[in-house]
Amino acid sequence: MTTDPRFDGPGPDQTWRDALAAGRLEIQHCTACDAAQFPPSLVCRTCGAPAPSMVAASGKGIVYSTTTVRRRDGAHNVSVIELAEGPRIMSRVTDLSGVVRIGAEVTAKAEMGDSGPVLVFVPEGSE
Amino acid sequence: MSDPMRGSTAIVGTGITNRWDAPGRTAFDQLQEAAILALEDAGLTTKDVDGLFCALSVSGLPVLNVAEKLGLELRHADGTMAGGSSFIFHMRSAMAALNAGLCDVALICYGSNQRSAGGKLAAMPDPQPYEAPYGALYPISSYALAAARHMHEHGTTREQLAEIAVAARQWAKLNPAAMMRDELTRDDVLGSRMVSDPLTKADCCLVTDGGGALVMVRADRAKDHAAPVPLLGVGTAVSHRQIASMPDFTTTAAVQSGAEAYRMAGLGPADIDHVMVYDAFTICTLMFLEDLGFCAKGEGGAFCASGAIAPGGSLPVNTNGGGLSCNHPGMYGIFTVIEAAEQLRGRCGARQVPGAEVALAHANGGVLSSQATAILGTPATL
């Protein structure tokens, strides 16, 4: 044995993508200090323990900040969502009313994009 | 007891090409010209350089390319790449290397041709898979997200941000080398095209060509040069790479880099006569002034809109016109240091801050990701 089994299997980015492709939002949980983290990594950024585990996220969050990107071919939303578990994630809020507010409650959803599944968020209650 | 690093090194030469729109020149041409100017300013030549510190957005091997082009015989080199703040990271590294005897003459240099090469911020290979699907404009959307959060938490307004662009322009009008010197009003900024809410085109820095360079030596050798500018303190910090991972969108790691620079210098915000902060976007000026202690958190908007940072105000900020109105060749940080040094040398003409003894230069890299702060003084401050 020349490799460390704690790091066997696909890396955390691949594992995260595979989960999303199956329609699941995963984040990491550190069994040593109970911290939640995203994006995934080989180490817990809170306590330094190696190999935090991948766990299912609740998918619930609130809009931490938001911007409208205005291109010549149209405008679209970019938001940073603070997940109920704590970590933040960049995403898009697909809000039917057109106004995305900081503090709004949102829920994760996997949407099919041009090059695979994309994580987006929809307003609470509209999924 | 004062920190032994305080004043242990000095800037003895600065070089700036002032060629902000210069087709036919490569990034390395701009860098080389600035390096030659800085060495001449120090009374030295390329043959005296034995320590090289550089970063470029067009090359992953800057040290090798620059050493070859300038014909340097190096004992020490550092190509740390932390974005636009790299050059203050280099200053801290050069301070350590000079004091350790790893080199005697440190050349810190940068060049870019991003304007004439296409007019966009030069993209470095640094994929961000968790951001890429969402079509955020890099880097403006990241700064827009920080600005939107600052507005939400502190009531900061677009009008206050606009006043920052106007103040920069007022300074630029006093600088014959500034690229943008025509009239700019608050309404011009507010009426400018919205790019990524709440930031308009006029909230954004320029896209220019340009080159800048610094020469640093130990204090014992600084006496042999015409106009040494002692480095009193320098601090660096890194908080994240992508904006979603920034710990608090309204507070940057300038809090940490500033605290280290102030500690080393034995000084505080009240001791600073002249301030340069990297204004990639209007929100940057506001947040860095808060985080470096020139006003309280949340009061940056009112402070900047009060006229305090404009010519005639209580705190001269970005006196060259900044990245907003003077120049912005991609990684602007080195120009904050050059202007600070030139102010302390009394060479700034109509925009000279009278009697400036201590100056602070602060630079940012990535998307509020890396922060670096240098405090410079006149020889009398030692």
Side-chain angles (χ1 to χ4, degrees):
Chain A
M1 181 69 101
T2 56
T3 57
D4 189 319
R6 290 175 301 170
F7 305 105
D8 281 353
D13 292 324
Q14 182 67 50
T15 305
W16 189 84
R17 278 196 301 273
D18 290 346
L20 186 65
R24 295 193 311 275
L25 170 59
E26 291 192 346
I27 57 174
Q28 284 182 313
H29 174 254
C30 176
T31 50
C33 78
D34 208 31
Q37 78 177 12
F38 180 88
S41 168
L42 287 176
V43 68
C44 170
R45 289 186 286 269
T46 301
C47 76
S53 30
M54 285 284 188
V55 298
S58 68
K60 304 291 184 194
I62 59 161
V63 177
Y64 178 74
S65 193
T66 186
T67 183
T68 303
V69 175
R70 299 176 190 273
R71 292 176 181 275
R72 281 184 177 77
D73 58 354
H76 68 272
N77 175 262
V78 174
S79 293
V80 171
I81 309 303
E82 187 165 284
L83 300 173
E85 293 84 356
R88 298 194 194 112
I89 185 168
M90 182 179 279
S91 190
R92 176 172 63 247
V93 176
T94 54
D95 187 343
L96 302 175
S97 72
V99 182
V100 180
R101 283 184 308 101
I102 290 177
E105 296 184 349
V106 290
T107 304
K109 178 183 150 191
E111 195 175 84
M112 195 44 73
D114 298 338
S115 49
V118 176
L119 178 72
V120 300
F121 284 79
V122 296
E124 182 73 10
S126 71
E127 68 268 31
Chain B
M1 207 180 90
S2 80
D3 189 295
M5 288 296 108
R6 183 190 197 274
S8 64
T9 61
I11 294 169
V12 294
T14 65
I16 184 166
T17 64
N18 292 328
R19 299 183 193 275
W20 311 136
D21 187 8
R25 287 163 200 275
T26 68
F28 288 109
D29 293 338
Q30 290 271 6
L31 177 148
Q32 290 176 83
E33 181 177 345
I36 294 164
L37 293 173
L39 288 163
E40 286 177 351
D41 184 38
L44 299 170
T45 76
T46 49
K47 297 289 107 186
D48 298 305
V49 175
D50 60 357
L52 173 64
F53 302 77
C54 57
L56 284 159
S57 44
V58 295
S59 169
L61 295 170
V63 166
L64 309 193
N65 284 286
V66 172
E68 177 185 296
K69 286 182 192 301
L70 291 176
L72 304 179
E73 293 171 34
L74 298 176
R75 289 202 291 138
H76 186 75
D78 180 344
T80 296
M81 174 51 129
S85 63
S86 296
F87 314 101
I88 299 181
F89 278 73
H90 294 163
M91 287 172 69
R92 186 167 156 102
S93 172
M95 175 186 74
L98 288 163
N99 278 299
L102 304 181
C103 60
D104 293 318
V105 175
L107 172 65
I108 302 171
C109 47
Y110 176 68
S112 170
N113 66 340
Q114 64 166 9
R115 181 184 181 88
S116 48
K120 286 193 172 165
L121 198 68
M124 284 167 276
D126 189 44
Q128 296 299 329
Y130 297 101
E131 291 190 340
Y134 303 107
L137 295 174
Y138 189 86
I140 184 175
S141 295
S142 296
Y143 289 87
L145 288 162
R149 186 73 197 181
H150 201 283
M151 289 175 160
H152 175 77
E153 286 191 24
H154 299 296
T156 305
T157 67
R158 284 191 57 216
E159 287 75 12
Q160 290 170 337
L161 294 177
E163 293 288 359
I164 292 166
V166 171
R169 183 60 56 87
Q170 288 172 352
W171 282 114
K173 288 164 87 169
L174 300 175
N175 179 6
M179 183 149 166
M180 300 299 286
R181 305 185 68 214
D182 51 337
E183 186 68 20
L184 182 75
T185 67
R186 191 175 79 162
D187 287 346
D188 292 336
V189 181
L190 293 172
S192 178
R193 180 171 63 85
M194 189 62 79
V195 181
S196 193
D197 301 35
L199 300 179
T200 70
K201 186 167 184 294
D203 287 291
C204 304
C205 60
L206 307 172
V207 176
T208 76
D209 302 329
L214 301 166
V215 179
M216 280 175 63
V217 300
R218 274 185 305 280
D220 60 324
R221 294 175 61 127
K223 294 190 289 285
D224 304 333
H225 296 271
V229 180
L231 175 60
L232 302 179
V234 58
T236 57
V238 176
S239 54
H240 60 279
R241 171 66 187 100
Q242 49 197 321
I243 194 68
S245 296
M246 183 169 175
D248 173 349
F249 280 23
T250 67
T251 302
T252 72
V255 171
Q256 287 84 43
S257 67
E260 168 64 0
Y262 286 133
R263 183 202 61 74
M264 189 182 292
L267 298 171
D271 302 309
I272 308 295
D273 302 315
H274 169 246
V275 177
M276 293 295 299
V277 290
Y278 188 154
D279 53 344
F281 300 91
T282 49
I283 185 67
C284 299
T285 303
L286 186 160
M287 288 175 69
F288 296 148
L289 291 176
E290 290 178 344
D291 294 342
L292 294 166
F294 294 105
C295 59
K297 179 53 65 185
E299 291 175 11
F303 180 71
C304 292
S306 72
I309 65 171
S314 57
L315 186 71
V317 173
N318 294 351
T319 50
N320 62 343
L324 291 167
S325 279
C326 178
N327 70 295
H328 188 276
M331 290 162 62
Y332 167 82
I334 198 166
F335 298 97
T336 67
V337 180
I338 292 171
E339 175 71 5
E342 294 305 283
Q343 284 284 352
L344 295 175
R345 290 162 140 192
R347 292 177 176 176
C348 289
R351 69 182 192 281
Q352 179 64 43
V353 176
E357 293 281 325
V358 180
L360 180 149
H362 179 80
N364 161 68
V367 288
L368 299 168
S369 314
S370 67
Q371 305 295 333
T373 312
I375 298 173
L376 306 172
T378 61
T381 61
L382 287 177

